[in-house]
Amino acid sequence: MLTALVLLPVAAAIVVMLIPTRRREIHLPLGIALSVMPLALAGYLFSVFEPAAGFQYVDQVTWYEPWGIDWYLGVDGISLPMVVLTTLLVPIALAASTTITSRTKEFVIYTLLLEAGMIGAFLALDLFLFFVFFEAMLIPMYFIIGIWGTERRVYAAVKFFIYTAFGSALMLAAIIGLALTYASQEGSPSFALSDLAGLDLSVGSERWFFAAFAIAFAIKVPLFPFHTWLPDAHVEAPTAGSVLLAAVLLKLGTYGLLRFNLALFPEASVDAIPIMAILAVIGIIYGAVVAIVQPDLKKLVAYSSVSHLGFIVLGTFALTSGGLQGAVIQNVNHGLTTGALFLLVGMIYDRRHTKKIADFGGLQKTVPLLAGFFLFMTFASIGLPGLNGFVGEFLVLIGSYPALPSFTVIAAFGVVLAAVYLLWAYERVFTGVPDKEENSVLSDLSVREIALLVPIALLIIVIGLYPKLLLDKITPSTEAVLDNIVEQTDFVVPYPGRMADVYVADEG
Amino acid sequence: MITPPEISWIAVAPDLAMAIGAALVLLVDVQWKPAPRVHGWVVGATLAVAGGLTVLQWAEAADALAAGDTESLVAFSGLITMDGFAIFSRVVLIAATALGLAAGWRFVVSLGRRGAEAIALVLLATTGFSLMVASNNLIMLFLGLEVGSIALYVLAGLARERRESEEAAIKYFLLGSFASAVFVYGVALIYAGTGQFGILGIRQLLDDFIISSPAVIYIGIGLVVAGLGFKVSAAPFHTWAPDVYQGAPAGLVGYMAAVAKVAGFAAITRILLTAFSDLSDTWLPVVAAISVLSMVLGSVLALVQGDVRRLLAYSGVAHAGFIMTGVVGGATDGVLFYLAIYAIQLVGAFAVVAVVSGPDGAGSSLDEYRGLGRRSPLLAGAFTILLLGMGGLPITSGFVAKFGVFTDAWAQGYQWLVIVAVIASVVAFAFYIRVIVVMYMDDAGEETPLRVGPERWVLALAVGATILWGIFPSSLLNLAADALPI
Amino acid sequence: MADLLWLVIALPLAGALFLHFVGRYVKEPISGWLASAAIGGAFVIAAIAAVPFIQGGAEPRTIPLWEWMPAIGGSFELLWDPLAALMALVVTGVGTLIHVFAIGYMHGDERFHRFFTNLNLFAASMLTLVLAGNYAMLFLGWELVGLCSYLLIGFWYTRPTATAAAKKAFIVNRIGDFGFMIGLMLVFAVFGTLSFAGVFERAGEELTGGMATAIGLLLLVGAAGKSAQIPLYVWLPDAMEGPTPVSALIHAATMVTAGVYVIARSAPIYEFTPFASTVVATVGALTAIWAASIALAQRDVKKVLAYSTISQLGFMFLAVGARAYIAGVFHLMTHAFFKALLFLGAGSVIHAMSDEQDMHRMGGLRRKMPVTATTMAVGALALAGIPPLAGFWSKDEILAADFARGGWFYFLWIIGLITALLTAFYIARLWVLVFMGEPRWDEEAHPHEAPRVMTLPLIALAILSIVGGLVNTPFRLGLEHFLEPSFEGVQVQEAPTDWLTLAVLAGLSTLAALAGAGAGILAYNRPRERWRRFEESFDPLWGTWEQAYGVDDLYGRTLVLPGRRLAEVTAFSVDSKVVDGAVNGVGRMVRNAGDWARPLQTGFVRNYGVLFLAGALVVVVWLVAGA
Amino acid sequence: MVETILFVIAALATLAGAVTVVLARNPIYSAVGLLGTLFSVAILYVVQLAHLVAAVQVIVYAGAVMTLFLFVIMLIGVDKEETRVEPLPRQRLWVGGLAGVVILFAAGVALFGDFVWVPAAATAVDQDATNGTIQAVAEPLFTDWVLAFEATALLLTIAAAGAVVLAQFKRKRA
Amino acid sequence: MVPVGWYMALAAALFLIGALGVLLRRNALVMFMCIELMLNAVNLTLISAGRAMNDLNGQVAVFFILVVAAAEVVVGLAIIVAIFRRRATASVDELSELRG
């Protein structure tokens, strides 16, 4: 099933490829239609997923025996939400790309291939395979930014590609090292996560490997100070690119930290808590502060991502139930919220062909619906309780406090700053009187655009009020991660960091 | 009374076939002056036969190994072998030749009467290199090397209408023969040190005795490495490559570069890993250093090139470095796989160059590739895939190849080398990406689509190999793993 | 009935949703009535559900709804106890009246239905806040009311001042919430749960004095933000940019009292930290007098009321800080009545004067709008604390409690007394300036009495302001008994019991009230230039008050501007130059290396030869040396 | 004794010739120098009993090859003298440096490392073993080395074909 | 009886001179002659070493090197002539258009 999930988009891409280029009008609709199939499959997967069963629907096929590499897919509570998110956002991103008129065919193909890469990366349980997907998906994204982007697209695309490739290069070295260490201990090399997790490494090498992985993922997240590719990429990328980049690609970083660093290098992870926490907190505050004064709406949202993803990393390395659950669920939340925000910015851009905040003002009068959605997403992003963002942040903050009090307190201030930069931006863009001529003649959201935003909005509310839906799937896996660390190291989860510590009063 | 030597036809069958083919082409041409198409058939047939014979050889070798007698694989009283290593390399050479000729066919045709000679030279060069990769004797190896090289010198000068072509020829020739002299002096010194020309003989000797004062041998090894390093254009012996790649006829450069690299590395691997593996402690660091220098210098220089052929040349230098890591790794299969993949991709890439810059290969500056993505999407797409393959992006065979050699090097304890290598490959990405940028992200200057001739088959195969062996590498990897030198 | 309690929240919410989606198709007044009906229904249900407590003997109960964030003990559950009931009744009751009033007030606004959508949404949020069964859910309501306040302050989004005020309100509240959140972190870290039941159950064994103090102070920060106490009160005056019903409902009667409610709710924690409590009381006292003094000199009628609200909230803090929780909540209730009344009255005046808010351009309106005038007079007296109106009882009880507490609280008591005097003065000034004297408004504005739909709520509130106090008098402590179950096991500061002291205290505060009111009337019931001269005689003090001590631009200069600068430096120097510069620098370095190495390729065969030979030589030497 | 004298003379001649090749400004003199070297090397062959090789050296090299050289020299002009100035910057510096390094290296190896030119040298030289008569050389040439011998055929073919291709020259753009 | 070392040293010197010659001269022909010098040095080495080891293969090897040399000469001179035809020069320094 998982294999099918990975290959469906590829198949879709091939189908689109077969449509002659001159039939330009059908590529996009077809792409959207086809990209719904993975969504359906993912939905089914979500419904039949057994939270308690750990990795399931495992597909393992030997790829090349002597090297011990396998086609090894499996899904658990940590990857499941990401897969669903991916499959959900791709159709939306595609449907949001009707403004792309040149070389539509290629665009659709790249997007579908990108989807395949992302799903694969989330499902891969073999480090080699993971690396393949992790690296391979750069290319479609590179093209999406570089071909359909705005003025400095080439610079942004190349920067994105090289920077990320650099990170993953080190990771490749580390992966090789791991596999060979395994070979030296067990006789034959293996790249399977399950095998390598059990590896006993010397403290030194474990730390090196951890660093290599951490840098790769830190660049992807991106953590301060590796974040500078992100604003450029976002600003230049077309809407669909920004959406997928923010919503899914960045998550590969946080996902990787959670899935690989914690699982493979428990000792080093525990030792690295301070460093990662510091970087995370710096990211939170720094990203927010920088976002405040950004003159470009997209750049502002980009920096807000830097800030928000800091929370995820913080939660991950707090190593508490709350923190981990928060991290995973925040992965989804940020994907939805920021994705939606980029959609909206894109819609504004389609109307005004500018992203400069200074060029706007009083839009709420001319495009009330758009303003409404924007405000909604803004508050979701600020972390308004009742919406999804809050669940993630609150879990992270409250959950991390017992482990990392001081860091968490500083991080909490990011919540204040979030309100500052987003509301100020909203004020400047939407409120007041539309003084500029071109701002007073815009058309409000079309039915299509509303149709794109509504499902996201609904999910945002549902997750905000009834996160159980996700948490039930997530919790067993995150607990497993935590248990593993506790077993492997002498790390003690501070009270009340574990689910078991939560006190339930006997209530009448 | 002289006892007639026993001849093992099978060991040289493919080479014989190609030599005969070459002769045939020349004779047919002299006799009937047929249309180029006819030559095409002859060459095709020749290469097909040669390829078929290699299959026979493989079966033979397999039986022999199964029977456990490696002696029977050594033919002509030790001059050459028929081991898997030789056969694999030979197959790669033949494949590269077939593809290369197809890629250069329009150029060959454009040569008119001289076309036949060109074809013959190509075939002979391949024959020479194929003897070289099989030779188990340094002098034999030298002969093969010279047969190949001299033919290549001529080929480099074939695009006579272009001044650069002559310059390329003379540079290639002078430096080449200079390098050959150095190489053969090395051979002479090794002979002085060991009294052997035979590679296995040397191996035996070094296994059995400790040479009291081996300095002369080391000098020999050094000179041999330098000489062969020239052929594979490893830094700092690479200087000829960019000029020659740029000057030589576009259609044939791919072929020239590919076969030289394959043969050269086959020789280096055989000499270092078979003959002198006992001295590896001494030469490993040196080879590692060459590898690093090649990777760094190649990538960095390729980054600033404005001409695609020079860019590919420097990238070739970098690749020489990557393959060297495989040599350091000490596993022949990694090297062989890399060579096979790289040869195909190189020929493919130059097929594109040939299409873009016309039969005699006038210009090949990056500007000519502006907007190629619009102009002829398929061509650009193929080029993109090949470039990414060379860059070593996952799901292309290039990645598998790099992964293989890096793994070997790491296992040898050369972690630092691997780290340098991965970083170098990122830089490599940077310049391959540049070409892609130009093709896709700059608006097209010229709009008329390019005429693609036989190159399309080359590209189809090269791209296919890049993708398929990228996703299902095991078939080729298994072959490479079986293709061990005796 | 308590099982249907969720309806109390669900009804207004449903109203909000309905209006949000189909509101624009509903004719103008109907949507307003629908909203009112929704919240009215909530009131009815709450009232019925509250009956058992009124009868007495009923236990508080927790009604679990569904799981939310189990990992941190956050879930959707309602706590139904007298305190919650009282709050719910106040919110829904006063809320209903204000809804009705708004139907008239918002008449003709093109976003009429949107206004009631938000109003209903606010009601739902506020009810969530007061009915919440744990801190997480309380925080949910806490933030949602903040959102509604943001939306409603900025309701007229085309006014830059309004949107700015809205943003300011939200952000200042956020700063408070920052402290509040940290408080919650501590709570969870200490108790391993966020549910009230759990926390209060374990307060005894888990809580150390220091931790209690920390939590107490952090909660205070949050409360100070929401309830506009020093130093976070600055947003409330600006919040007057919103429509007047909003000011009445959110910024007088309900939302701003949330802080008081939270502290009362957390009594079991403050139980263990006298220090924190004292701080609460002190902050309250200072805020009370500080805001009152500012209120003295405001010209904008709503500004006066705003600062008065801040001041009154100060009183409530003074109460709950002194552990006189019941007195605090009591004052919360009465204040809700008369302050809502005053705001709505002001609203109807402003409405009549076609959006004129400057008292200097009013005067002599009592003939034009008698109902408003009288009802507002009632409100004023109640606020001033003239017996036997509502304000008197509650305020008097607070002061009495502080007096009884003794020690430091004597000092606070005195402050309270002075504040009472000032309060009486400024409210008298307000009423006189608006309704007495000669008209100071120009002719084309011809004020008129408000329509019935607006006056009726005024009358209703007036009645409440009169009798509201009687639920808890020294003679009959109804409210006290009613609320007891909520403060079980918490020691509550009672007023002194001996009648003499009580009488004296009551006398004192009455005296203060009368004095203030008298002075106000005397000073302002005169021709304009006279009282102008009177005001000027206080300069520069008066000016300072009028400028609200210039706190706003103080904050602006010390916090906002430096913040902007910092952000700009970080963004445009550090980030783009240093961090990104480093990244691009590496790239450039590599390229430069290439350009630098390029001359190696001179194109001269003989140079190549040299390089080749040199290389070979190095290899050879290295090999031989290596051997 | 005889051998020593011959060696010294021939060696000096060889080096003299070689130096001439390098230093002579006119290609003709270089050619003559080369000729000298070839002959004296041939002498050294003879001294070492490599009769056949020596003969071939004289016939093929001094004969055929040198003639070819002289032809070309004549073709491209005898008077093409090379000035002593070195156009390439620092070329001579480099070359000098290289030479220096080589000599230093040689010296170093000679002094410190117990350098042996032919470690595998036999204790007693057996004159017959390496008596390079036609018979003696022919036997290995046509048995053990037969494949190499055949391979030379390829070389000659290439040489022929290559020369032909390069020689014919149709003037497209001069 | 002359020690083999002398021969070898002589050959080495010859090789070095040849090599330096290649680097010092700009006339393609002369450079090429220098390469011939180097090859001669190789041959001398082979023969001397072979003799020292009582091994005839050294002499046999020389044959092949001679052939190679001959072949190179043919091709090399052909190239030189071809270039001369077009540019009327044999100086390699003037062939430096390809660089960088």
Side-chain angles (χ1 to χ4, degrees), chain C residues 1-15 37-46 48-49 63 65-66 78 80 88 92 120 123-124 127-128 131:
Chain C
M1 199 60 203
D3 308 335
L4 293 178
L5 208 56
W6 56 274
L7 276 171
V8 176
I9 299 173
L11 271 177
L13 186 59
I39 184 167
F43 174 76
V44 173
I45 297 168
I48 300 169
I63 303 135
L65 297 178
W66 68 81
L78 305 181
W80 185 239
T92 48
N120 259 354
L127 288 162
T128 321
L131 294 182

Side-chain angles (χ1 to χ4, degrees), chain B residues 223-235:
Chain B
L223 296 178
V224 166
V225 169
L228 290 173
F230 175 91
K231 297 295 172 196
V232 300
S233 72

